[in-house]
């Protein structure tokens, strides 16, 4: 299987990259190619953090390397005290909190073209991951902002029932959905 992995920063990628990895540059993207078991892995690091780099990175993985699944790995922010610093979690679904048409439809985060306000990660990939390492499954509020304000954190938790936040997961989940590629 061809697996794509996206990390927002090079330092998040280092735990995957072994001595047998080959690295290439495509435009401003760095791609590390290696094998993991019987799988071909293509790990892309966009030139910048955030939604646009993540979406472009996923599209690069799909179009150039024909990946069959995309995994997102990286550092996130906690929105509640339930998630501790350095705790590992899986994301079960993602809401894009910056998508906001609520003045006309009263539903923040809602995508009319998909008829949803959240994007569920692939249940089979999640089950495989949990069988290997049983971790909590959480909801991620994703937007192109670094969130440090406690008021905003509380709002994201209350409004979207999210436990964590990041800057890339919504873009990854939406781009994968548009390409009919499973993601976790």
């Amino acid at each position: 299987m061809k697996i794509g992995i996206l990390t927002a920063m090079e330092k998040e990628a280092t735990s995957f990259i072994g001595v047998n990895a080959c690295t290439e540059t495509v435009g401003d993207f760095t791609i590390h190619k290696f094998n993991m078991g019987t799988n071909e892995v293509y790990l892309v690091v966009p030139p910048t953090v955030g939604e646009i780099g993540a979406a472009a990175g996923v599209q690069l993985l799909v179009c150039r390397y024909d990946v069959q699944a995309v995994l997102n790995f990286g550092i996130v922010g906690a929105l509640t005290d339930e998630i501790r610093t350095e705790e590992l979690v899986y994301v079960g679904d993602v809401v894009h909190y910056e998508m906001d048409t609520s003045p006309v439809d009263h539903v923040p985060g809602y995508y009319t073209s998909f008829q949803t306000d959240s994007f569920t990660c692939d249940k089979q990939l999640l089950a495989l991951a949990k069988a290997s390492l049983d971790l909590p499954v959480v909801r991620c509020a994703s937007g192109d902002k670094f969130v440090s304000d406690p008021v905003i954190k509380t709002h994201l938790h209350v409004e979207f029932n999210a436990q964590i936040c990041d800057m890339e997961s919504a873009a990854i989940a939406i781009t994968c959905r548009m390409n009919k590629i499973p993601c976790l």
Side-chain angles (χ1 to χ4, degrees):
M1 179 177 210
K2 290 183 178 181
I3 298 172
I5 298 176
L6 189 131
T7 64
M9 299 178 289
E10 190 72 36
K11 66 181 175 182
E12 294 170 328
T14 58
S15 62
F16 291 100
I17 302 166
V19 293
N20 295 327
C22 299
T23 301
E24 76 173 308
T25 301
V26 177
D28 288 338
F29 292 85
T30 302
I31 295 89
H32 303 280
K33 297 187 279 185
F34 53 94
N35 291 322
M36 191 178 286
T38 59
N39 300 300
E40 291 179 44
V41 178
Y42 300 88
L43 189 153
V44 65
V45 180
T48 182
V49 299
E51 296 172 344
I52 294 171
V58 169
Q59 199 61 51
L60 176 66
L61 288 169
V62 170
C63 291
R64 186 177 183 108
Y65 301 104
D66 197 28
V67 299
Q68 297 158 298
V70 173
L71 305 176
N72 178 21
F73 178 82
I75 299 165
V76 300
L79 298 175
T80 69
D81 292 336
E82 298 163 358
I83 305 295
R84 296 177 321 274
T85 301
E86 298 182 11
E87 182 173 359
L88 300 173
V89 297
Y90 295 119
V91 173
D93 70 319
V94 178
V95 63
H96 187 205
Y97 70 86
E98 286 191 315
M99 174 61 168
D100 189 2
T101 57
S102 62
V104 294
D105 62 16
H106 307 292
V107 186
Y110 190 77
Y111 278 78
T112 54
S113 59
F114 298 121
Q115 298 183 334
T116 187
D117 66 349
S118 69
F119 296 86
T120 304
C121 295
D122 187 76
K123 290 181 185 343
Q124 287 182 306
L125 289 175
L126 182 57
L128 281 170
K130 284 189 71 63
S132 178
L133 181 61
D134 192 22
L135 299 173
V137 179
V138 300
R139 174 177 260 199
C140 179
S142 186
D144 227 356
K145 297 178 186 171
F146 189 88
V147 178
S148 61
D149 184 332
V151 172
I152 296 172
K153 287 182 176 190
T154 299
H155 168 74
L156 293 175
H157 175 63
V158 170
E159 181 75 27
F160 299 105
N161 193 30
Q163 294 77 34
I164 63 170
C165 63
D166 81 350
M167 296 174 63
E168 292 83 21
S169 290
I172 294 165
I174 293 166
T175 305
C176 283
R177 181 162 176 175
M178 288 177 173
N179 283 285
K180 298 179 180 16
I181 300 285
C183 73
L184 178 63

